[in-house]
Amino acid sequence: MKVKLITHTPNPEQTIAVAARLCYSPATIDEVSEMLTPEKAAKFVEMLGDLGHDSPVEHVTFTFGIEDVSRSLLAEITRHRIASFSVQSQRYVAENNFSYVVPPAIADIPEAAKEFQLAMAEDQAHYERLADMLRAKHRAAFEAEGMTPEAAAKAAEKRAIEDARFVLPNACTTKIIMTMNVRSLRNFFHLRCCNRAQWEIRALATEMLRLCYGVAPHLFQKSGPSCVSGPCPEGKMCCGKTAEVRAKFAALKG
């Protein structure tokens, strides 16, 4: 898994503090900005967090580049609907010698790891054979319609991999660019940094939080699974490791 913070709203804590302070001030926007030093902005952001006043944090966004994650993770992360996603397309990009994610529980068992690798190799072979069959069919059809051989080959390639991709596994890796505002990110961290979250998206969320905290520590001071800033909301489903989890995220934030 590769995670990179590509860009974010400049001066995120200052931006949020100005937006929130403006609601209660007769001053102009420029005057409010001048009054809020970085230190005052940091304190104001912390106060907003304590009050649960979250709407101003929607003015700030973070954009991440995510690579070498599974299509299974893609299905989970796109459930977070207040976000923007750009994903490498299997309709337009052929999955020749596709890479894949191996679940740690499978990798830990030699026999299971071997079985998994065989399944991936079979999927690759089926994908390539299906693509070849479809490519030949569509190329002949396009040429019969009057296309030049070159144009027919290009159109047939896209049409072929569009359907051949149906045989690809959830383990197949993908690349994502994702943008979220801070309010959505905090919710994402509450849900996906939790021990009960699926292991791959939990690892992704934890790394994203580390990157966000490095840019705006006051903004993400209480971020992480819900038990970092309050009681565990999982009831009987609680992992029972609240102290351990809190120590983990305290260390992550330095």
Side-chain angles (χ1 to χ4, degrees):
M1 180 186 296
K2 299 175 184 176
V3 188
K4 180 181 180 181
L5 178 57
I6 297 176
T7 189
H8 57 80
T9 303
N11 303 315
E13 295 181 349
Q14 182 80 8
T15 299
I16 290 168
V18 169
R21 187 71 185 87
L22 180 68
C23 298
Y24 305 99
S25 173
T28 67
I29 294 173
D30 286 342
E31 289 170 342
V32 171
S33 298
E34 290 170 4
M35 288 187 291
L36 283 167
T37 64
E39 293 75 19
K40 288 181 178 178
K43 290 181 179 179
F44 202 80
V45 164
E46 289 182 5
M47 181 187 72
L48 291 175
D50 292 338
L51 294 173
H53 186 22
D54 286 339
S55 61
V57 305
E58 294 178 13
H59 292 293
V60 168
T61 63
F62 287 72
T63 299
F64 303 87
I66 303 166
E67 299 182 75
D68 297 331
V69 293
S70 71
R71 284 267 163 175
S72 178
L73 180 142
L74 176 63
E76 290 203 42
I77 201 168
T78 50
R79 293 173 188 162
H80 294 269
R81 294 181 293 279
I82 305 178
S84 299
F85 300 94
S86 295
V87 182
Q88 186 179 65
S89 173
Q90 290 180 332
R91 290 185 67 200
Y92 296 96
V93 180
E95 292 285 6
N96 299 320
N97 297 314
F98 68 80
S99 58
Y100 52 85
V101 174
V102 182
I106 291 177
D108 286 344
I109 306 171
E111 296 83 0
K114 183 177 180 180
E115 185 68 24
F116 193 85
Q117 291 166 1
L118 288 172
M120 296 301 103
E122 288 179 8
D123 284 346
Q124 181 70 67
H126 289 308
Y127 174 80
E128 292 175 1
R129 286 197 294 269
L130 285 168
D132 287 342
M133 294 175 193
L134 292 165
R135 197 177 291 114
K137 172 190 174 182
H138 294 312
R139 181 171 183 173
F142 288 137
E143 288 185 6
E145 292 173 2
M147 281 190 181
T148 64
E150 293 78 11
K154 185 176 181 179
E157 173 68 16
K158 174 185 173 296
R159 188 70 63 83
I161 64 175
E162 181 177 82
D163 288 335
R165 64 179 171 152
F166 277 73
V167 79
L168 293 171
N170 272 340
C172 191
T173 59
T174 191
K175 301 178 181 70
I176 308 167
I177 290 180
M178 179 185 71
T179 300
M180 279 186 176
N181 68 45
V182 171
R183 192 173 193 173
S184 290
L185 275 170
R186 286 173 169 175
N187 177 64
F188 179 73
F189 295 146
H190 280 163
L191 296 173
R192 302 300 189 170
C193 289
C194 176
N195 274 355
R196 294 199 63 237
Q198 187 262 356
W199 64 268
E200 189 180 16
I201 200 168
R202 183 172 70 246
L204 172 63
T206 302
E207 177 60 12
M208 286 170 57
L209 173 55
R210 187 187 69 80
L211 294 170
C212 288
Y213 186 81
V215 170
H218 303 282
L219 197 52
F220 293 98
Q221 186 177 45
K222 295 183 178 180
S223 290
S226 298
C227 64
V228 165
S229 56
C232 175
E234 297 293 329
K236 293 181 180 180
M237 304 300 290
C238 178
C239 71
K241 300 179 180 179
T242 298
E244 180 182 319
V245 171
R246 288 175 176 170
K248 170 186 173 181
F249 284 92
L252 179 142
K253 297 172 185 176

